[in-house]
Amino acid sequence: MAPKRAVRLSLKTPAHAVCVVGVVTLVDVHSDVPKGASSFGVSGSSGVEVFMVYDRTHVSKPIGKASWPLDTDADVAVSVGTASKELKDFKVKVSYFGEQEGRALGHSVLYLTGVDISLDVDTGRTGKVERSRGDKATWCWGPEGYGAILLVNCDRDNHRSTEPDLTHSQLRSLADLQDMSPMVLSCNGPDKLFDSHKLVLNVSFSDSKRVRVFCARGGNSLSDYKQVLGPQCRSYQVERQPGEQEIRFYVEGLTFPDNDFPGLVSLSVNLVDAGALLEVTLFTDTVAFRMAPWIMTPNTQPPQELYVCSVLDEHGSNEKFLEDMSYLTVKASCKLVICPRVENRNDRWIQDEMEFGYIEAPHKSFPVVFDSSRNRGLRDFPYKRILGPDFGYVTREIPSAAPSSLDSFGNLDVSPPVTVGGMEYPLGRILIGSSFPKSGGRQMARVVRNFLKAQQVQAPVELYSDWLAVGHVDEFLTFVPTSDQKGFRLLLASPRACLKLFQEKREEGYGEAAQFDGLKYKAKRSINEMLADGRLQRDSLHAQRCIDWNRDVLKRELGLAESDIVDIPQLFFRNGSYAEAFFPDMVNMVVLGKYLGIPKPYGPIIGGRCCLEERVRSLLEPLGLHCIFIDDYLSYHELLGEIHCGTNVRRKPFPFKWWNMVP
């Protein structure tokens, strides 16, 4: 954009102006006028476009005349289509006339030097920088939107470094350039022009904390990439070499969108007349970027890696559990990653420690692990073992108070893509467990909730999970992929469904069939005993009321119908003020494509089969799913966790591009 300015003309001395290609320059034809002049005419040399700017509702174009009256409310404007080869090689002539139009009373001459200045980025989101004359200074969402995208450079490409790349002010690896967004400055014009004019790259104070800019100087060594803008440098005078028409830059993102940062940053280049007594900015070109958000992936996305921990406790090692996980990953064709005890310090709850997601720009995408503030035995694992080349890392630490159980990421989930009342959420919606509204109970830390909300693309929904002892959403819900048109189902733990099943089995004559049959270390409870246990009934129905409250929220906020929900039998009992699963919590499963690793419930055996397992199979297998029940009773259930708590899955990114949505 050019400042609103007009070049003053003189009858005695030719004027000179620098004209940026494609930018209109106004010409002041009224500043020095011959006596008796009443009209004027304008002509330009080849390569110069001359036109009049006026309001057609108030000004009429002269008919049959080559000149315009001086008292008309019209401006003269000129522009050039190409850069000059030499200084002042374009010319504009203004002639002034009296009553007799054929004879000029005087002339003014304006010499123009054309210069082609343009700052360009991947505005069209094609993965390449292309020259744009459109609006580069704003950023627009949607399939018809525009505006460039920055990745937060939160991976670690240099194997010699122990920190994310964004912590270094200098380039440490050429591979790091692929994590940045290219930017090109076009600067074509006579070399002599740049003896008295300069190009200055600028970033605002607030944005300087969010980005770095590196200037490329044509070599293949790290020293050929110089940091020119960033937290310690807000302005850079471009070092243009003689004959140089393009200068390449790389822009690095430093911070994710957050409560104090909406994600937008801008960079500008100024063409400055340095030969004047006071430096004058002749032209400014601005480009806008949006920082790519961190995106979670739901269970419906194909699995790529399953993470588990090798641990040892009073019952021995969890070797059998690891073998079962290995079997699952072979079935699901994904990789198994086992975190050894030396790295997990006997902390098995890997779901609670971290959450996998990704960031994406048109030119590149890579996974990013979100490290929770839980910070127990696994606290170093995400940073020391997962952060690496093309694998990023982000965290949000709680500023003051110690984290609560609800800050663990078993309390963080995301739905599949949904449509709610005509509003599309093509990347799903994040689900966060919280206290009952206005109850003042436990909540996930505000700094984490603010971060998730600021990403904008997966609008979070808060659920009520504080009724549970551990307090995590994965204790009463999960999503599974299906092969039908809907594409998924929401599974909810259901005491009502469990009590109904037990009542059916009692009426069929199986009242003495026992829960926990086959467990040496747990007393059996017959169906008759469980149905006669008033406390177990009351506690389970209390849990049902809490789950029903969440059911209504999920139906409303995710646009779900009852047919989209499957009730999985489950009982709960209260221990003090909070509820715990009475038997292994079957919704706390690991989902690997169509293969489900479900905690073995040790339900009543009827006809040689567990009736709880059979009911779950009858609900899920018609949907194209395979139920594999895994014994986690000693290794996980007795420690108030299940299979989902003890596993973590990295999944494929969405095929949908986040910038095409309208949040």
Side-chain angles (χ1 to χ4, degrees):
M1 171 180 285
K4 294 249 183 210
R5 64 187 183 94
V7 180
R8 293 173 63 89
L9 300 184
S10 171
L11 294 169
K12 298 177 180 179
T13 307
H16 173 259
V18 174
C19 197
V20 177
V21 172
V23 176
V24 172
T25 298
L26 298 179
V27 180
D28 180 1
V29 298
H30 298 88
S31 57
D32 192 2
V33 179
K35 185 177 180 180
S38 59
S39 63
F40 67 94
V42 187
S43 62
S45 63
S46 177
V48 179
E49 182 182 2
V50 180
F51 51 96
M52 303 298 296
V53 180
Y54 58 96
D55 185 349
R56 286 178 169 79
T57 61
H58 297 94
V59 178
S60 298
K61 181 178 180 180
I63 300 175
K65 294 182 180 181
S67 61
W68 284 73
L70 279 166
D71 61 358
T72 191
D73 188 13
D75 292 318
V76 176
V78 297
S79 66
V80 297
T82 60
S84 294
K85 295 181 179 180
E86 298 178 358
L87 293 176
K88 307 178 183 180
D89 60 357
F90 294 123
K91 180 180 178 181
V92 174
K93 183 178 180 181
V94 179
S95 300
Y96 295 94
F97 304 97
E99 294 298 328
Q100 296 181 351
E101 188 173 319
R103 181 183 176 188
L105 300 179
H107 305 278
S108 294
V109 176
L110 171 63
Y111 290 104
L112 299 175
T113 301
V115 59
D116 191 5
I117 304 295
S118 183
L119 192 61
D120 291 289
V121 291
D122 182 17
T123 308
R125 303 169 186 168
T126 63
K128 297 179 180 180
V129 177
E130 296 178 353
R131 188 69 178 266
S132 173
R133 294 294 185 188
D135 184 1
K136 299 179 284 186
T138 58
W139 203 96
C140 184
W141 294 88
E144 303 300 322
Y146 50 84
I149 293 163
L150 283 179
L151 295 174
V152 177
N153 193 15
C154 58
D155 67 340
R156 184 181 62 207
D157 289 316
N158 184 358
H159 68 279
R160 296 179 181 176
S161 174
T162 60
E163 300 172 313
D165 294 333
L166 58 79
T167 62
H168 303 296
S169 60
Q170 300 301 320
L171 198 66
R172 295 291 188 94
S173 167
L174 291 178
D176 208 21
L177 296 172
Q178 302 303 313
D179 302 334
M180 303 181 192
S181 295
M183 180 172 70
V184 177
L185 173 60
S186 300
C187 48
N188 187 15
D191 290 336
K192 289 184 178 180
L193 175 71
F194 294 98
D195 292 340
S196 58
H197 293 71
K198 61 184 181 182
L199 294 166
V200 181
L201 206 62
N202 293 300
V203 61
S204 70
F205 174 75
S206 59
D207 288 351
S208 68
K209 299 180 290 184
R210 317 294 187 188
V211 296
R212 285 196 193 96
V213 179
F214 293 86
C215 182
R217 275 312 182 188
N220 292 317
S221 65
L222 294 177
S223 60
D224 292 314
Y225 296 87
K226 172 186 175 184
Q227 187 203 162
V228 295
L229 293 179
Q232 306 302 322
C233 185
R234 294 168 47 199
S235 181
Y236 167 64
Q237 183 174 334
V238 178
E239 300 171 358
R240 179 186 181 275
Q241 303 300 319
E244 195 168 26
Q245 297 185 13
E246 281 190 354
I247 301 175
R248 295 190 65 83
F249 297 89
Y250 289 88
V251 187
E252 175 186 35
L254 301 181
T255 57
F256 281 94
D258 213 327
N259 191 47
D260 61 347
F261 173 47
L264 288 172
V265 294
S266 296
L267 298 170
S268 298
V269 66
N270 295 329
L271 176 63
V272 178
D273 183 355
L277 183 61
L278 294 175
E279 291 188 350
V280 178
T281 297
L282 304 179
F283 171 75
T284 300
D285 205 14
T286 301
V287 293
F289 294 90
R290 180 174 287 279
M291 216 69 73
W294 180 78
I295 301 171
M296 283 182 66
T297 47
N299 287 349
T300 49
Q301 288 301 109
Q304 293 182 310
E305 293 179 318
L306 173 66
Y307 288 73
V308 294
C309 290
S310 173
V311 294
L312 184 66
D313 58 23
E314 61 189 42
H315 301 294
S317 75
N318 65 338
E319 183 177 351
K320 178 61 170 63
F321 180 81
L322 300 181
E323 290 175 359
D324 291 337
M325 293 300 102
S326 178
Y327 172 78
L328 265 178
T329 54
V330 169
K331 284 287 188 181
S333 301
C334 71
K335 180 181 177 182
L336 177 65
V337 179
I338 299 176
C339 174
R341 286 191 292 274
V342 68
E343 293 181 9
N344 65 49
R345 290 177 285 193
N346 234 32
D347 180 3
R348 70 194 70 206
W349 308 118
I350 197 165
Q351 180 65 229
D352 288 340
E353 185 60 39
M354 62 188 189
E355 186 69 55
F356 287 113
Y358 69 96
I359 58 176
E360 183 176 24
H363 68 283
K364 187 169 184 181
S365 172
F366 59 79
V368 175
V369 61
F370 188 7
D371 189 1
S372 80
S373 58
R374 171 179 175 266
N375 292 339
R376 288 166 59 180
L378 278 159
R379 65 177 180 267
D380 296 329
F381 180 71
Y383 193 84
K384 289 186 175 180
R385 295 300 179 187
I386 295 181
L387 171 64
D390 288 341
F391 211 128
Y393 172 93
V394 64
T395 189
R396 287 296 181 271
E397 293 294 338
I398 300 174
S400 54
S404 75
S405 175
L406 271 67
D407 291 310
S408 297
F409 283 171
N411 195 34
L412 182 62
D413 210 326
V414 64
S415 79
V418 292
T419 300
V420 185
M423 179 68 178
E424 294 184 359
Y425 297 91
L427 303 176
R429 299 191 70 178
I430 285 174
L431 306 176
I432 301 168
S434 190
S435 59
F436 194 77
K438 300 182 180 180
S439 70
R442 295 172 296 173
Q443 289 185 311
M444 183 175 284
R446 183 176 298 277
V447 66
V448 177
R449 287 182 286 135
N450 286 345
F451 172 84
L452 295 170
K453 182 179 179 181
Q455 306 312 304
Q456 296 191 60
V457 295
Q458 294 179 300
V461 177
E462 291 198 23
L463 300 174
Y464 174 36
S465 65
D466 191 31
W467 58 277
L468 289 153
V470 177
H472 294 177
V473 293
D474 66 357
E475 297 177 76
F476 65 87
L477 69 81
T478 194
F479 294 90
V480 294
T482 61
S483 55
D484 57 9
Q485 185 176 0
K486 182 67 179 181
F488 73 90
R489 292 293 188 278
L490 167 63
L491 309 188
L492 288 179
S494 177
R496 185 186 298 113
C498 189
L499 293 172
K500 181 180 179 182
L501 173 65
F502 286 171
Q503 288 165 357
E504 290 173 358
K505 297 306 176 185
R506 182 177 63 180
E507 292 170 1
E508 292 171 5
Y510 299 109
E512 293 304 313
Q515 184 76 37
F516 307 122
D517 192 7
L519 277 175
K520 300 177 182 179
Y521 26 77
K522 182 71 176 178
K524 298 179 183 179
R525 297 287 302 276
S526 71
I527 289 177
N528 288 334
E529 289 173 331
M530 289 187 288
L531 291 177
D533 187 336
R535 179 181 176 185
L536 180 61
Q537 293 256 353
R538 288 192 301 273
D539 290 354
S540 290
L541 291 176
H542 166 75
Q544 184 68 64
R545 287 191 292 272
C546 296
I547 294 169
D548 284 345
W549 190 91
N550 286 300
R551 185 190 201 97
D552 291 340
V553 174
L554 288 161
K555 287 170 67 176
R556 181 176 68 248
E557 298 296 335
L558 301 183
L560 302 180
E562 276 297 322
S563 58
D564 301 324
I565 302 173
V566 178
D567 291 311
I568 302 298
Q570 188 65 48
L571 294 181
F572 293 87
F573 71 97
R574 296 179 74 171
N575 185 356
S577 300
Y578 299 107
E580 298 175 12
F582 179 65
F583 54 80
D585 189 346
M586 289 187 287
V587 296
N588 197 280
M589 64 179 71
V590 62
V591 180
L592 301 178
K594 61 184 178 181
Y595 296 95
L596 310 180
I598 306 173
K600 184 176 179 62
Y602 283 98
I605 304 298
I606 298 174
R609 295 177 178 272
C610 169
C611 68
L612 288 171
E613 291 184 20
E614 288 303 292
R615 177 56 55 91
V616 171
R617 290 184 193 277
S618 71
L619 292 170
L620 300 183
E621 290 186 350
L623 299 172
L625 299 167
H626 297 271
C627 300
I628 301 171
F629 291 90
I630 295 170
D631 181 4
D632 76 337
Y633 197 93
L634 286 181
S635 295
Y636 294 88
H637 173 72
E638 281 205 336
L639 301 175
L640 301 184
E642 307 288 357
I643 293 175
H644 185 261
C645 306
T647 59
N648 212 315
V649 184
R650 182 171 72 86
R651 303 180 184 276
K652 288 184 178 180
F654 286 99
F656 180 86
K657 306 305 180 185
W658 63 267
W659 51 85
N660 287 331
M661 69 179 292
V662 181

